[in-house]
Amino acid sequence: MSGANPRPTDLPEDSMLLALDTLCPMHCLVDESGHITHCGPTLQKLRPQVTMVGQRFLEVFQTTHPRNIATLPDLRNAAGRRARLRLRFRSAPRTDLQGVLVPHGLGGAIINLSFGISILDAVRDYALTNTDFAATDPTVEMLFLVEAKSAAMEASRKLTRQLHIAKIAAEEQAFTDTLTGLKNRRALDHILNRMIEAEQEFALMHMDLDYFKDVNDSLGHAAGDHVLTQVAQIMVEETRNEDVVARVGGDEFVLVFHGLCSRPRIEEIARRLITRVEVPMPWQDQTCRISASLGTTLSTDYAHVQAETLLADADAALYAAKRAGRAQHRFHDPPPAGALAAGAGPATGS
């Protein structure tokens, strides 16, 4: 009939191949000799360095099911039994494929291939996109879902990182003195408890600024803040990275020297701090003059180390230094032998 639609075999060969490329982008045509005469664009994309046309199909692909497939007639017979073909490339990457075969011509075949469950690996290995699949292929929808999931997971990872950074920043802010940037009392308590639980040895030094009130009263709080930040910088410069410097009051500081319990070395550090703090500090057109008194106790002097006891004993040694004339450093005397068993000692300075 003149008005009837043409059958596929009535289509010009070029139009038929174009239709196959669109509907089955991973197909190939094999002639009766077993050679590939045409392959879809996506199938060719999997081996961009090799022209598949002209290659023997069974030299490019290895069949894994059914087994013992050596010739194209074997493949045609397998298709006649409605067996699904399972294949893989003979060269790397040896991507697993599955396919169906339809006899074509006098002894050839049309073989349409797909990735099956290896689709995600294939997308990664060959950088495939939705344009490499037929528009009606459910793989396109799966790729969309995978991309959506990847985007959601990446957004989740970014949000998690941002929350983690915000958490760290909040914790850091909670443990930081806003004026000087040093640790605050809360951070000091946390660090001391952690060191004591780990049975680490350390020295604890309490430092108080002499004449600081005079600076505040005569030059104002801005001058006082300037002095505090300068003193904080001095303490950071005179201590190691592993040491702790904390501001625990208006002009009171605590230094914790990790693993350092040598009295001569502690005395040397105290002398340097006293000397540097006594250097006049310019403030606008005025000069701020202060000094520092320090008291130190050692964790190794206690049978049972408690943060409250060390802080109290360092404070007692500090006031002994002030009574000695200020700009002084004193060690807390170790408790008597009888008091060691109780983990307590007299709060007096040497």
Side-chain angles (χ1 to χ4, degrees):
M1 295 176 60
S2 60
N5 292 327
R7 294 173 299 169
T9 54
D10 295 333
L11 293 174
E13 184 177 358
D14 289 346
S15 297
M16 184 185 75
L17 294 180
L18 179 61
L20 284 173
D21 287 347
T22 302
L23 298 174
C24 307
M26 286 187 62
H27 82 281
C28 63
L29 294 180
V30 182
D31 64 16
E32 60 274 8
S33 68
H35 288 81
I36 300 172
T37 61
H38 181 80
C39 70
T42 301
L43 186 60
Q44 180 60 63
K45 183 177 180 178
L46 306 186
R47 289 296 183 271
Q49 306 302 324
V50 177
T51 300
M52 288 194 185
V53 173
Q55 301 282 328
R56 291 181 63 88
F57 181 83
L58 292 176
E59 290 179 355
V60 177
F61 300 96
Q62 173 190 3
T63 59
T64 59
H65 178 79
R67 295 184 179 276
N68 303 320
I69 299 294
T71 65
L72 183 61
D74 293 337
L75 275 177
R76 287 170 57 101
N77 290 336
R81 296 192 299 270
R82 296 186 178 181
R84 177 176 294 183
L85 302 176
R86 296 192 183 277
L87 314 94
R88 65 165 59 104
F89 281 104
R90 291 186 180 273
S91 60
R94 302 192 67 192
T95 307
D96 289 318
L97 300 166
Q98 61 184 23
V100 292
L101 180 149
V102 176
H104 174 67
L106 298 178
I110 301 176
I111 304 171
N112 192 34
L113 302 172
S114 67
F115 295 108
I117 62 174
S118 62
I119 177 61
L120 295 182
D121 293 335
V123 169
R124 179 197 62 212
D125 293 341
Y126 302 110
L128 301 177
T129 68
N130 62 331
T131 60
D132 295 311
F133 299 90
T136 56
D137 192 328
T139 301
V140 174
E141 299 298 326
M142 187 173 71
L143 289 177
F144 173 78
L145 293 176
V146 170
E147 289 182 4
K149 179 182 177 182
S150 298
M153 291 182 65
E154 180 60 25
S156 177
R157 283 192 292 267
K158 287 183 179 179
L159 179 59
T160 300
R161 285 196 297 268
Q162 291 171 353
L163 290 174
H164 182 64
I165 293 172
K167 178 182 177 183
I168 292 175
E171 290 177 348
E172 187 67 22
Q173 185 176 7
F175 287 138
T176 302
D177 176 63
T178 55
L179 174 63
T180 62
L182 302 177
K183 297 289 189 294
N184 58 19
R185 179 58 184 264
R186 181 180 178 184
L188 176 66
D189 292 341
H190 176 75
I191 293 170
L192 284 178
N193 290 331
R194 187 177 61 193
M195 294 178 70
I196 291 171
E197 288 176 1
E199 299 183 350
Q200 297 174 343
E201 296 181 353
F202 60 91
L204 188 148
M205 178 183 290
H206 191 179
M207 186 173 88
D208 183 79
L209 301 183
D210 306 319
Y211 313 112
F212 178 75
K213 185 176 183 299
D214 294 342
V215 172
N216 265 340
D217 292 345
S218 61
L219 301 180
H221 289 289
D225 290 347
H226 173 70
V227 168
L228 293 173
T229 56
Q230 292 297 107
V231 171
Q233 183 63 33
I234 290 171
M235 288 188 292
V236 170
E237 292 173 356
E238 293 296 338
T239 53
R240 306 164 301 175
N241 290 337
E242 62 266 35
D243 297 331
V244 178
V245 183
R247 181 187 177 204
V248 296
D251 61 337
E252 296 182 53
F253 303 88
V254 169
L255 300 89
V256 180
F257 300 95
H258 184 272
L260 179 57
C261 292
S262 166
R263 290 193 173 218
R265 289 186 61 188
I266 296 294
E267 184 66 42
E268 178 185 351
I269 295 171
R271 284 289 100 202
R272 292 202 305 266
L273 288 170
I274 291 172
T275 299
R276 292 192 61 182
V277 170
E278 283 185 322
V279 175
M281 300 178 187
W283 165 250
Q284 296 180 351
D285 57 348
Q286 302 291 327
T287 300
C288 305
R289 298 179 185 275
I290 60 169
S291 63
S293 298
L294 305 94
T296 302
T297 189
L298 309 178
S299 68
T300 51
D301 288 340
Y302 300 82
H304 302 286
V305 182
Q306 294 182 329
E308 297 81 1
T309 302
L310 267 68
L311 288 167
D313 289 347
D315 186 63
L318 164 66
Y319 282 95
K322 284 186 176 290
R323 289 194 299 271
R326 300 186 180 183
Q328 301 288 323
H329 170 245
R330 291 291 184 269
F331 282 102
H332 175 260
D333 286 330
L340 278 174
T348 58
S350 59

